[in-house]
Amino acid sequence: MRKTIVAGNWKMNASKDFVDTLVDGILSGMSGVSSEVILCAPFPYLSQVETLIGGTNLMLGAQNLSAKPKGAFTGEVSADMIKDFGVGHVIVGHSERRSLYGESNDVVAEKTKAAIDAGLTAILCVGESLEEREADKTEAVVAEQLNAVISLVGAGAFDGIVIAYEPVWAIGTGLTASPEQAQSVHAFIRNLLANSNDKVAQKIQIIYGGSMSAENAADLISCPDIDGGLIGGAALKADDFLQICKAG
Ligand code: PEP
């Protein structure tokens, strides 16, 4: 039985006051939540969130990391640095990193390896653009994204990874994949992994991201291969986020 995960991706939205209020609101509504809940904060706020969630069930995540372990890489942040602040999960390959910062499948694979090597759980994002979906290339694109990582780390290493299927056309747009559309890609991902390692494929948590909300979360998460959500906009409002956490 796979446990449901709900991860909030705050992106570049925070201030000290905002973080205090948001985390306070989430903590005060956590009773009755059985999902694993991860807060993926921007780097400067990791320490603040680490303190606020200390001694609770909430887990801390980061939104990016360097593929390099240390050294002369101005502006970069390594796996060991985020671990120093109690981070256990790190988002890798978010579509905004791929499209706005040119992260190729190979770079994403390197970053995933850096996370695994450091003992972090990578939340590996994959997903197709609208153009690719309309050209019937969804499975080919997702397979290529996953195969780049499998080639570098091996399917066995997916034991320590969470996959987030995030159709690019659904991120921040208010357009959500239907439960049927999402379930079909989640099942494809699980089958792809099963071809290399069935044990890992059955165990791995595959979460959906793309305009998941308090209204649609339960229908998505009740699909057999959807094990939770990666939440952007709705993770910035404690009540909405908690309703999603309770949908799992
Ligand atoms: C995301 O950024 O990962 C995301 C899913 O955003 P939103 O929920 O706002 O679509």
Side-chain angles (χ1 to χ4, degrees), residues 88-104:
H89 292 74
V90 58
I91 298 172
V92 178
H94 190 280
S95 72
E96 287 151 18
R97 301 290 324 168
R98 291 178 187 265
S99 67
L100 302 174
Y101 300 97
E103 292 190 7
S104 63

Side-chain angles (χ1 to χ4, degrees), residues 9 11 94 96 166 170-174 209-212 230-234:
N9 173 15
K11 311 195 188 194
H94 190 280
E96 287 151 18
E166 298 209 304
I171 298 177
T173 58
S211 299
M212 193 183 263
L230 179 55
I231 321 299

Side-chain angles (χ1 to χ4, degrees), residues 35-105:
S35 310
E36 292 175 5
V37 180
I38 305 159
L39 305 180
C40 299
F43 292 137
Y45 300 94
L46 290 175
S47 173
Q48 185 185 351
V49 181
E50 180 189 26
T51 304
L52 289 169
I53 67 176
T56 75
N57 288 335
L58 290 179
M59 292 182 278
L60 184 56
Q63 300 173 16
N64 185 23
L65 84 172
S66 171
K68 307 286 185 197
K70 67 185 289 191
F73 301 103
T74 302
E76 289 291 278
V77 175
S78 73
D80 282 347
M81 289 175 180
I82 56 178
K83 272 180 71 179
D84 228 4
F85 290 93
V87 166
H89 292 74
V90 58
I91 298 172
V92 178
H94 190 280
S95 72
E96 287 151 18
R97 301 290 324 168
R98 291 178 187 265
S99 67
L100 302 174
Y101 300 97
E103 292 190 7
S104 63
N105 284 340

Side-chain angles (χ1 to χ4, degrees), residues 84-213:
D84 228 4
F85 290 93
V87 166
H89 292 74
V90 58
I91 298 172
V92 178
H94 190 280
S95 72
E96 287 151 18
R97 301 290 324 168
R98 291 178 187 265
S99 67
L100 302 174
Y101 300 97
E103 292 190 7
S104 63
N105 284 340
D106 288 345
V107 168
V108 172
E110 293 285 350
K111 289 189 171 197
T112 307
K113 182 173 186 308
I116 294 168
D117 289 349
L120 291 164
T121 301
I123 301 176
L124 169 63
C125 301
V126 296
E128 81 289 358
S129 66
L130 185 58
E131 208 181 14
E132 289 161 343
R133 172 161 285 267
E134 286 174 350
D136 216 10
K137 288 185 183 157
T138 298
E139 293 185 354
V141 168
V142 168
E144 205 180 337
Q145 292 169 335
L146 285 172
N147 284 331
V149 183
I150 294 172
S151 307
L152 189 67
V153 302
F158 276 64
D159 204 13
I161 288 181
V162 172
I163 295 175
Y165 167 57
E166 298 209 304
V168 179
W169 48 273
I171 298 177
T173 58
L175 293 174
T176 315
S178 67
E180 295 72 25
Q181 283 173 319
Q183 164 58 27
S184 151
V185 182
H186 282 234
F188 170 77
I189 292 170
R190 206 177 295 290
N191 283 336
L192 184 145
L193 278 171
N195 288 337
S196 303
N197 190 321
D198 189 50
K199 203 165 153 219
V200 168
Q202 300 317 317
K203 208 175 138 205
I204 193 165
Q205 290 151 307
I206 308 175
I207 62 179
Y208 168 82
S211 299
M212 193 183 263
S213 65

